[in-house]
């Protein structure tokens, strides 16, 4: 819980090691050239970031209940949330770097989708993302006639 660690069973001598830490989102950091016996090893993970914004339908009305998914381009880590009654969303726990956003709403009239690619900087959260759902796409099954003999 406090981030402290102890490594045992390492070879004593001139060997150096790389100490790497990774959080559940896949973000990582490392320190190279660590000698056995050092007690001052500090590995600092980048702070996790947020993306916030709103999703609207093709007419511009807030899209409540839409599922919004963020996928990290670097780690593949996925964070999902649902838009509130006024179409707003907040995605938490994202690593800095490229992120693909997808908003999906499934309804009786088809599947509405919105997507965007953004970049989260290590020093800030991203606010004001505006996703517009495209008109629903209705899947239709088409039966193919068997080939003529």
């Amino acid at each position: 819980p406090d981030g402290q660690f102890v490594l045992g069973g390492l070879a004593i001598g001139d060997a150096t090691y790389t100490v790497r830490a990774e959080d559940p989102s896949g973000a990582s950091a490392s320190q190279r050239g660590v000698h056995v016996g050092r007690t001052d090893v500090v590995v600092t993970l980048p702070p996790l970031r947020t993306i916030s914004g709103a999703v609207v339908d093709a007419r511009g009305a807030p899209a409540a209940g839409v599922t919004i998914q963020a996928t990290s381009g670097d780690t593949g880590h996925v964070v999902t949330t649902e838009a509130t009654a006024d179409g707003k969303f907040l995605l938490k726990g994202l690593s800095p770097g490229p992120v693909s956003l997808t908003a999906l709403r499934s309804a009786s009239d088809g599947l509405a989708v919105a997507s965007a690619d953004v970049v989260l900087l290590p020093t800030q959260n991203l606010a004001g993302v505006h996703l517009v759902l495209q008109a629903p796409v209705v899947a239709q099954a088409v039966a193919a006639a068997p080939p003529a003999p």
Side-chain angles (χ1 to χ4, degrees):
D2 63 1
Q4 294 187 19
F5 60 92
V6 175
L7 300 173
L10 302 175
I12 298 175
D14 291 336
T16 61
Y17 296 89
T18 298
V19 177
R20 183 174 186 265
E22 184 174 309
D23 70 20
S25 76
S28 64
S30 60
Q31 186 178 65
R32 297 173 193 221
V34 177
H35 293 276
V36 172
R38 276 189 59 187
T39 59
D40 62 342
V41 177
V42 176
V43 179
T44 304
L45 290 167
L48 296 178
R49 296 289 165 214
T50 63
I51 297 176
S52 62
V55 59
V56 298
D57 64 20
R59 298 177 311 247
V66 172
T67 299
I68 298 99
Q69 177 176 296
T71 304
S72 169
D74 289 340
T75 67
H77 179 67
V78 176
V79 174
T80 303
T81 193
E82 189 173 294
T84 60
D86 56 358
K88 294 184 180 175
F89 65 87
L90 175 63
L91 294 155
K92 298 178 182 179
L94 297 162
S95 300
V99 176
S100 293
L101 299 172
T102 305
L104 298 169
R105 178 170 61 192
S106 182
S108 60
D109 62 345
L111 180 67
V113 179
S115 62
D117 291 320
V118 298
V119 175
L120 275 173
L121 299 176
T123 57
Q124 65 187 28
N125 296 315
L126 185 58
V129 174
H130 187 74
L131 298 172
V132 180
L133 292 170
Q134 301 303 311
V137 175
V138 179
Q140 295 179 355
V142 177

